[in-house]
Amino acid sequence: NTLKEYFHFGKFTFLGQIGDMIRFRVDVMVIGAMIGSSFVVPYNIALELLRMATEATSNVVTGTQPIFTKYYAEGRMDQVREKLMFLTRINVAVSTIFACSLLLVAQPFIAIWVGPEYLSAFIPLMILTAIMPIGVGQNSAVQVFYALSKHRYYAYINLIEAAFNLTISLLLVKQYGIIGVALGTAIPFVFSKCIFVPYYICKFTEIALKEYLFNIAKVVVLILLMETGCLGLILYYQLDSIWVVFPLASIWQIFLGIILIKFFASKEDYAYAVNTVPFLGKILRREF
């Protein structure tokens, strides 16, 4: 009976992971089969850069499922709701900063990494990176699905998204090439992560849907507004050297992070940042 229960839990974990794998792996097969293997290389360049940024972001807030499982087992749903909203803000903020950083340095980096002939990878990268904050940013929501043993809903969402991904990519690849395939991935992803994941996670945790979505949107909009300054400098001075753009973008992200923590972070968010990087508490003192 115990093995049966484990298998029942595990099969949905497996299905959810299959959906995650199909989301990007199927794109390469579609490109190779429909328009030729030569287009696989620039698309893979975009995927590799996206993977590095995603992994770096995911490592900032990890291992939260045991926390949610503990609170759920103790019947402390108020803590599940509170920590979910808090960790989602952190995840969204970090993933938005990483996504913007990647896009700011991507073109000069690709040019020096594999050569300017592969700059066609930038537009697919831009499309895929644009959806990164709403995906990686909701990692904590995925952990809550598992903690509450509701992950079958996440598995179904992933599989349906993968099916639409394949369908839309096949429809667009002939006319738009690798850009069409990137759109085929992005369109169902946006519907999945902006509608279905928020709907079900709010239903299971009894969080108001508007509150949850606003919790995400306000962080994304604030950071995007602040990132326009760095983009404006790059465009105005026509900077195209990685040795100039990378230091500029890095300094800008540090400045942006200081502004966010010093002036916009809530008391709880500020405490998390200071506990994670202790010296911040000495240089960014705040009175609440």
Side-chain angles (χ1 to χ4, degrees):
N1 288 336
T2 303
L3 287 175
K4 183 179 179 180
E5 185 177 349
Y6 288 162
F7 177 77
H8 181 68
F9 186 95
K11 70 181 180 182
F12 291 112
T13 302
F14 174 73
L15 290 174
Q17 290 175 343
I18 290 296
D20 283 332
M21 291 169 59
I22 291 175
R23 181 182 296 124
F24 295 110
R25 296 294 182 267
V26 74
D27 290 352
V28 175
M29 292 188 289
V30 168
I31 292 168
M34 300 298 292
I35 58 176
S37 58
S38 61
F39 292 94
V40 171
V41 177
Y43 198 83
N44 264 332
I45 291 170
L47 290 182
E48 182 63 18
L49 290 173
L50 180 67
R51 182 191 64 78
M52 289 190 290
T54 300
E55 288 184 359
T57 306
S58 299
N59 288 333
V60 175
V61 182
T62 57
T64 57
Q65 185 179 335
I67 299 173
F68 292 120
T69 303
K70 176 178 180 292
Y71 288 143
Y72 178 63
E74 294 173 348
R76 300 169 65 187
M77 286 301 295
D78 59 323
Q79 285 299 307
V80 173
R81 288 189 288 269
E82 180 183 323
K83 293 299 183 292
L84 172 60
M85 297 290 277
F86 162 65
L87 291 171
T88 298
R89 284 196 303 275
I90 300 296
N91 273 325
V92 169
V94 173
S95 58
T96 304
I97 290 173
F98 269 86
C100 291
S101 301
L102 175 59
L103 292 179
L104 289 171
V105 304
Q107 284 186 301
F109 180 76
I110 291 172
I112 198 171
W113 177 33
V114 290
E117 64 269 24
Y118 290 106
L119 284 175
S120 58
F122 178 72
I123 296 180
L125 175 64
M126 182 174 62
I127 294 169
L128 296 175
T129 304
I131 61 177
M132 177 179 157
I134 62 172
V136 180
Q138 293 187 86
N139 275 352
S140 294
V142 177
Q143 299 301 309
V144 172
F145 275 117
Y146 282 93
L148 274 56
S149 194
K150 300 292 188 181
H151 57 298
R152 66 181 182 276
Y153 292 93
Y154 180 69
Y156 294 147
I157 292 170
N158 261 9
L159 290 174
I160 294 171
E161 179 191 328
F164 276 98
N165 181 351
L166 177 59
T167 303
I168 298 173
S169 295
L170 287 171
L171 290 173
L172 298 180
V173 65
K174 281 292 187 180
Q175 186 171 358
Y176 300 105
I178 59 176
I179 296 174
V181 174
L183 289 171
T185 298
I187 293 169
F189 187 90
V190 170
F191 277 93
S192 168
K193 297 304 185 289
C194 290
I195 298 176
F196 297 106
V197 168
Y199 171 79
Y200 282 107
I201 203 65
C202 290
K203 177 181 178 181
F204 298 140
T205 58
E206 298 181 351
I207 296 174
L209 182 59
K210 289 183 179 180
E211 180 184 358
Y212 180 82
L213 292 175
F214 181 72
N215 190 51
I216 295 173
K218 67 180 182 181
V219 177
V220 174
V221 171
L222 176 62
I223 293 174
L224 288 180
L225 288 174
M226 297 177 71
E227 292 284 5
T228 56
C230 187
L231 177 61
L233 288 174
I234 293 172
L235 294 177
Y236 182 79
Y237 291 104
Q238 298 181 354
L239 305 176
D240 57 4
S241 170
I242 187 65
W243 311 114
V244 177
V245 175
F246 183 79
L248 173 64
S250 300
I251 293 170
W252 191 273
Q253 305 317 314
I254 294 172
F255 174 75
L256 187 153
I258 290 173
I259 296 297
L260 287 175
I261 296 170
K262 180 71 175 177
F263 298 104
F264 294 100
S266 66
K267 184 177 181 180
E268 189 176 21
D269 297 351
Y270 174 81
Y272 176 83
V274 170
N275 289 335
T276 305
V277 187
F279 78 88
L280 287 177
K282 298 178 181 179
I283 61 176
L284 297 175
R285 295 182 182 276
R286 283 182 60 177
E287 296 293 336
F288 290 94

